[in-house]
Amino acid sequence: MRLVSTPYDDVFRTLLNDCSSLIIPLINEVFGERYTGKEKIVFSPNEHFMNRQDGDGEERISDTSFKIIAGTRSKKYHWECQSSADSSMLVRFFEYDTQIALDEGEIKKDVLTVTLPNSAVLFLRCDDATPDRMEIEIITPGGTVGYPIPVMKSQQYSIDEIFEKGLLFLIPFYIFSHERRFKEYNGDKGKLGELQREYKDITDRIEQLLNAGVISEYTKCTIMDMANKVLVHIARKYENVREGVKQVMGGRVLDYEAKRIKNEGREEGRAEGRAEGREEGIVEGKAAGIVETGVDFGLSDKEILDKLQIKLNISLQMAQEYFSKYGK
């Protein structure tokens, strides 16, 4: 069994799990969709057991797979985050995509129907050899079919473009665009100062979005925390760069500060209900916590509804009402 994960994969998944709405602008950018951000995102398990021709098996972790539900319309997506391209990528995509399709395959009247997800890759590093698009072609006895895998290159987006298009998901990875100049920044205070001013501008813009109500304190803390995590890893050999940028960004955000803010909000709601002596206030607080935690961890709608019914001892109809209220 082999689990595949890197620090950048971890940041990618954390952003998706803790601030899932940030993926919507990326989907719109890459696939030409017009999602508003009010759609529902339902995550699927990202662990898949791959069977091999020699009979062995291997557990692999895809970066993320999820559905976006807009009214009666539902689409499956599969995203991978890569620091750079490698020759095995297309093989892994095919493995993941077919397994994701099989997970929800349907057999009716001796016909197996599977739906492949819309797949894409985010490259954190790119050069002239990095593809703009990849494709998988499948030759079957019934004919040849193929599907594209769009490529997003984070280094090609300027800070102005990131904020204009709402691609806040890319902010923690923006430091990759400066990676080739780390040695120069590390030994030149003037050049380092230019980098610090750029990151001061980034933090100011994030603060403006917070003040305007576009993002929450929770989202702001998560973006800043993940930016620091990427910085610590990518600039581990360049202390001046690492510490200089961290200083401008306000230092390191504690690992669980964003989660603490969110949890404190839930607890305040529950405490308010208790203080007022209203049993429904307590139940409301618990329901909010169950639904939000379930969504954060990618549980299915049914799993969340089951937890609501069991933990609160309520009817399915009541569970559905709570899910509708807090699952948006």
Side-chain angles (χ1 to χ4, degrees), residues 154-168 170-171 174-175 177-178 198-199 201-203 205:
S154 65
Q155 288 181 318
Q156 291 186 340
Y157 290 86
S158 68
I159 280 300
D160 287 339
E161 286 180 300
I162 286 174
F163 280 97
E164 286 169 5
K165 295 183 176 183
L167 304 175
L168 305 184
L170 299 181
I171 290 176
Y174 180 70
I175 192 66
S177 64
H178 290 280
E198 184 171 14
Y199 267 88
D201 178 54
I202 292 172
T203 56
R205 292 194 192 194

Side-chain angles (χ1 to χ4, degrees), residues 25 28-29 55 58 78 86 97 100 112 153 212 215 228 233 258 265 297 305-306 322:
N28 290 340
E29 175 75 3
E58 179 182 14
H78 165 212
D86 67 71
D97 288 347
I100 290 168
L112 169 63
K153 303 174 183 178
I215 61 173
N228 274 309
H233 186 76
F297 283 90
L305 288 170
D306 287 345
Y322 283 133

Side-chain angles (χ1 to χ4, degrees), residues 159-194:
I159 280 300
D160 287 339
E161 286 180 300
I162 286 174
F163 280 97
E164 286 169 5
K165 295 183 176 183
L167 304 175
L168 305 184
F169 195 101
L170 299 181
I171 290 176
F173 304 114
Y174 180 70
I175 192 66
F176 276 88
S177 64
H178 290 280
E179 184 179 18
R180 293 177 182 176
R181 299 185 64 191
F182 280 174
K183 186 174 181 180
E184 180 183 355
Y185 294 145
N186 209 61
D188 188 323
K189 289 185 178 180
K191 297 293 184 182
L192 179 59
E194 293 176 6

Side-chain angles (χ1 to χ4, degrees), residues 64-214:
T64 188
S65 60
F66 53 91
K67 288 181 183 177
I68 296 182
I69 302 172
T72 58
R73 179 185 176 219
S74 174
K75 273 193 176 182
K76 289 193 292 188
Y77 294 91
H78 165 212
W79 271 71
E80 293 289 323
C81 176
Q82 289 282 135
S83 57
S84 57
D86 67 71
S87 59
S88 65
M89 277 191 60
L90 283 172
V91 174
R92 294 201 308 274
F93 262 104
F94 182 68
E95 288 180 333
Y96 296 148
D97 288 347
T98 52
Q99 190 60 56
I100 290 168
L102 281 172
D103 287 344
E104 296 186 3
E106 291 184 343
I107 298 178
K108 291 183 179 179
K109 296 182 179 181
D110 299 321
V111 176
L112 169 63
T113 301
V114 293
T115 302
L116 292 170
N118 297 274
S119 293
V121 60
L122 170 65
F123 283 123
L124 305 181
R125 295 185 179 98
C126 64
D127 54 31
D128 293 341
T130 306
D132 294 320
R133 163 189 162 120
M134 300 185 295
E135 186 169 351
I136 291 178
E137 187 175 274
I138 307 167
I139 301 174
T140 78
T144 300
V145 295
Y147 65 97
I149 299 176
V151 168
M152 181 179 229
K153 303 174 183 178
S154 65
Q155 288 181 318
Q156 291 186 340
Y157 290 86
S158 68
I159 280 300
D160 287 339
E161 286 180 300
I162 286 174
F163 280 97
E164 286 169 5
K165 295 183 176 183
L167 304 175
L168 305 184
F169 195 101
L170 299 181
I171 290 176
F173 304 114
Y174 180 70
I175 192 66
F176 276 88
S177 64
H178 290 280
E179 184 179 18
R180 293 177 182 176
R181 299 185 64 191
F182 280 174
K183 186 174 181 180
E184 180 183 355
Y185 294 145
N186 209 61
D188 188 323
K189 289 185 178 180
K191 297 293 184 182
L192 179 59
E194 293 176 6
L195 179 64
Q196 288 177 303
R197 284 190 289 276
E198 184 171 14
Y199 267 88
K200 177 63 166 60
D201 178 54
I202 292 172
T203 56
D204 287 345
R205 292 194 192 194
I206 293 175
E207 195 69 29
Q208 289 169 9
L209 292 177
L210 172 64
N211 294 335
V214 176

Side-chain angles (χ1 to χ4, degrees), residues 190-291:
K191 297 293 184 182
L192 179 59
E194 293 176 6
L195 179 64
Q196 288 177 303
R197 284 190 289 276
E198 184 171 14
Y199 267 88
K200 177 63 166 60
D201 178 54
I202 292 172
T203 56
D204 287 345
R205 292 194 192 194
I206 293 175
E207 195 69 29
Q208 289 169 9
L209 292 177
L210 172 64
N211 294 335
V214 176
I215 61 173
S216 66
E217 183 74 21
Y218 175 67
T219 298
K220 170 199 161 185
C221 284
T222 303
I223 291 173
M224 301 294 281
D225 191 16
M226 293 304 102
N228 274 309
K229 286 181 183 298
V230 172
L231 173 68
V232 166
H233 186 76
I234 195 174
R236 59 189 180 280
K237 297 180 180 179
Y238 301 93
E239 182 178 0
N240 292 339
V241 174
R242 188 176 65 249
E243 297 305 319
V245 175
K246 283 173 64 176
Q247 182 182 16
V248 172
M249 296 179 70
R252 183 176 184 276
V253 180
L254 296 177
D255 287 348
Y256 297 102
E257 183 166 343
K259 288 183 174 62
R260 177 182 61 76
I261 292 170
K262 191 172 185 179
N263 290 333
E264 282 180 355
R266 291 180 190 148
E267 289 302 324
E268 286 174 7
R270 295 176 193 144
E272 208 174 285
R274 296 189 188 98
E276 295 176 7
R278 297 199 307 264
E279 181 63 27
E280 61 267 26
I282 299 174
V283 175
E284 286 272 344
K286 290 181 179 178
I290 292 169
V291 173

